Amino acid sequence: MSTARAVLDGYAQLRRQVAIMLELARAGEWDDLIERQSGYLQLADRLRQLDKEAQLNQTEIQLKADLLEAILADDLAIREQLLERRNELGQLMGASRRQRDLHRSYGKQASIVVEASDKFGPETP
């Protein structure tokens, strides 16, 4: 197989990998996403080295550019999903922290306050 063909096949494989990762992110399969990410990074490293050696013609350059554009679009979508997840986790941590603090201060009575805050928000009179 020529170096150019290997590079294009590598980008196609990277494209498939990132598409799977995006579906995992959308499905909230965070553990599977992390596992896939290590394989993605290894493939990207190998491809980076191979890409340095390849001589691509104009058609191959365009195909590579199209694959890269799709990869980057999916990568951006994954990052957006990760930011949403980070925000969710931050809210959960904040609620847990409030609950812990209330329990320290008021004991069992605090759970009623925390439940009301979770249902109606912290601004409830």
Side-chain angles (χ1 to χ4, degrees), residues 28-98:
E29 299 291 332
W30 307 111
D31 292 337
D32 292 339
L33 175 65
I34 298 298
E35 287 178 31
R36 286 268 180 182
Q37 185 181 22
S38 64
Y40 172 84
L41 293 173
Q42 289 173 354
L43 179 58
D45 269 351
R46 280 185 278 152
L47 189 53
R48 199 173 296 119
Q49 295 300 322
L50 193 57
D51 201 6
K52 290 177 184 177
E53 302 167 11
Q55 296 291 325
L56 303 177
N57 64 34
Q58 196 59 36
T59 303
E60 293 166 333
I61 289 170
Q62 184 58 51
L63 179 55
K64 176 183 163 184
D66 292 344
L67 288 166
L68 278 171
E69 187 175 327
I71 289 167
L72 292 173
D74 283 355
D75 185 65
L76 179 60
I78 291 169
R79 288 174 191 270
E80 290 170 352
Q81 293 289 319
L82 289 171
L83 286 173
E84 287 178 24
R85 179 63 176 160
R86 183 188 71 183
N87 292 338
E88 289 172 11
L89 291 174
Q91 290 174 349
L92 288 172
M93 288 172 42
S96 294
R97 189 173 20 255
R98 285 191 306 276

